Amino acid sequence: MLFLRDLGHTEVGGFGISAADDLLLIEDVVLVRQQCSVVTVAFEDESVAEFFDRQIDRGLRPEQFGRVWVHTHPGDSALPSSVDEETFARVFGRSDWAVMAIVACGGDTFARLQFPAGPGGSVDLPLAVDYRQPFHGSDHDAWIDEYLTNVQSVPDFLFPESPCLSLPSHGAISSRTYSPLELADWPAW
Amino acid sequence: MHILYINNDGAGFADQIHVEDGTTVSKLFTQRVPHGRTSDYLIRVNRQPTTSDQVLQPGDRVSFTPVKIEGA
């Protein structure tokens, strides 16, 4: 997610793929087609439906792929906006449980688990990388392809530039090839 | 007849269900999401957008997926 966050100048979002035997262990983040600005991210409805169909075809259960919504924020704050809260309640409020996770450009993180069962409730969760888990290794080329395939940058007239400007622009990424040395400097997770 | 039904509400569902012959998309929605609004879902049959009065056929794949997933 850190790699995807830093690939462009916009927000970016996706669905976390949970381990079959530990639903709060996120083994992958999958992007769907989305329109993103410096301060917004909006998934395309058709792409979300296709994502669901593909995961079912892989043999996953809905609770493994449709419950963890993750996206990035510009700047240092990972606290959810009113738009985030509205989406989380409307889209994920009917599920037995769901997590909204946010990774800010400055490194701050936020995650909340909500569960409507019984009287309902929610609890904030810490986010951490579990280094005990096996990892197939970074695949920057595949991650860049996934990003370029799914993320469409749209202008935001109020916030033309992100606070995170240290990395190449979306257009620059698509127009050149990066050496392994350059890619090694980018954060990976 | 049986159809494949996919929905993320509740515990989540992706399995074969039995529906009566002649069941329409809107009837299935009312049965399965009684308190939901169709405007909150993208409803597809066999991976294609559908209409509320479409009559389901044996083996159809029906999905109700969320719409307007937006962050800021």
Side-chain angles (χ1 to χ4, degrees):
Chain A
M1 196 63 210
L2 297 179
F3 185 86
L4 297 172
R5 179 197 66 183
D6 295 335
L7 266 180
H9 293 165
T10 68
E11 293 193 7
V12 61
F15 287 99
I17 306 296
S18 300
D21 58 351
D22 184 355
L23 297 173
L24 292 182
L25 174 63
I26 307 306
E27 296 182 319
D28 194 9
V29 173
V30 176
L31 303 183
V32 297
R33 286 198 310 274
Q34 54 198 280
Q35 294 195 333
C36 306
S37 75
V38 170
V39 291
T40 62
V41 52
F43 293 176
E44 292 185 11
D45 299 339
E46 282 281 347
S47 188
V48 171
E50 273 301 316
F51 164 76
F52 271 65
D53 274 317
R54 287 198 307 272
Q55 304 312 311
I56 294 297
D57 289 343
R58 289 179 57 199
L60 301 189
R61 309 186 306 272
E63 64 180 359
Q64 285 180 263
F65 62 80
R67 301 298 170 79
V68 179
W69 172 45
V70 57
H71 71 284
T72 65
H73 271 182
D76 294 326
S77 175
L79 292 177
S81 69
S82 60
V83 175
D84 300 335
E85 297 284 13
E86 189 278 329
T87 295
F88 194 44
R90 173 176 50 82
V91 173
F92 298 94
R94 295 181 187 277
S95 300
D96 282 355
W97 65 273
V99 171
M100 170 171 58
I102 301 169
V103 179
C105 187
D108 193 18
T109 61
F110 173 90
R112 181 194 301 149
L113 169 68
Q114 74 177 12
F115 40 94
S122 65
V123 59
D124 290 351
L125 301 175
L127 282 178
V129 178
D130 187 349
Y131 292 102
R132 297 168 301 177
Q133 303 300 322
F135 181 52
H136 296 298
S138 301
D139 189 345
H140 293 150
D141 288 341
W143 295 349
I144 291 172
D145 282 347
E146 182 177 2
Y147 182 92
L148 295 176
T149 300
N150 289 290
V151 178
Q152 179 184 7
S153 177
V154 295
D156 188 290
F157 298 104
L158 290 178
F159 301 95
E161 289 192 345
S162 164
C164 293
L165 292 176
S166 59
L167 290 167
S169 69
H170 187 164
I173 292 168
S174 61
S175 63
R176 59 169 293 213
T177 301
Y178 287 86
S179 71
L181 189 60
E182 286 176 297
L183 291 173
D185 290 336
W186 290 7
W189 179 28
Chain B
M1 65 177 178
H2 284 84
I3 63 169
L4 175 62
Y5 172 66
I6 299 168
N7 186 7
N8 196 35
D9 289 352
F13 199 90
D15 208 346
Q16 301 284 332
I17 62 169
H18 176 80
V19 298
E20 297 177 0
D21 289 352
T23 297
T24 62
V25 169
S26 62
K27 183 177 180 182
L28 179 69
F29 185 87
T30 302
Q31 291 173 343
R32 290 282 163 172
V33 195
H35 303 297
R37 299 180 302 178
T38 55
S39 59
D40 288 334
Y41 297 86
L42 177 60
I43 301 173
R44 304 202 313 172
V45 175
N46 300 326
R47 299 191 171 195
Q48 297 296 322
T50 187
T51 57
S52 61
D53 60 352
Q54 179 171 338
V55 177
L56 299 175
Q57 303 297 318
D60 274 350
R61 177 189 188 115
V62 182
S63 63
F64 301 159
T65 54
V67 297
K68 297 178 183 174
I69 300 179
E70 302 170 339

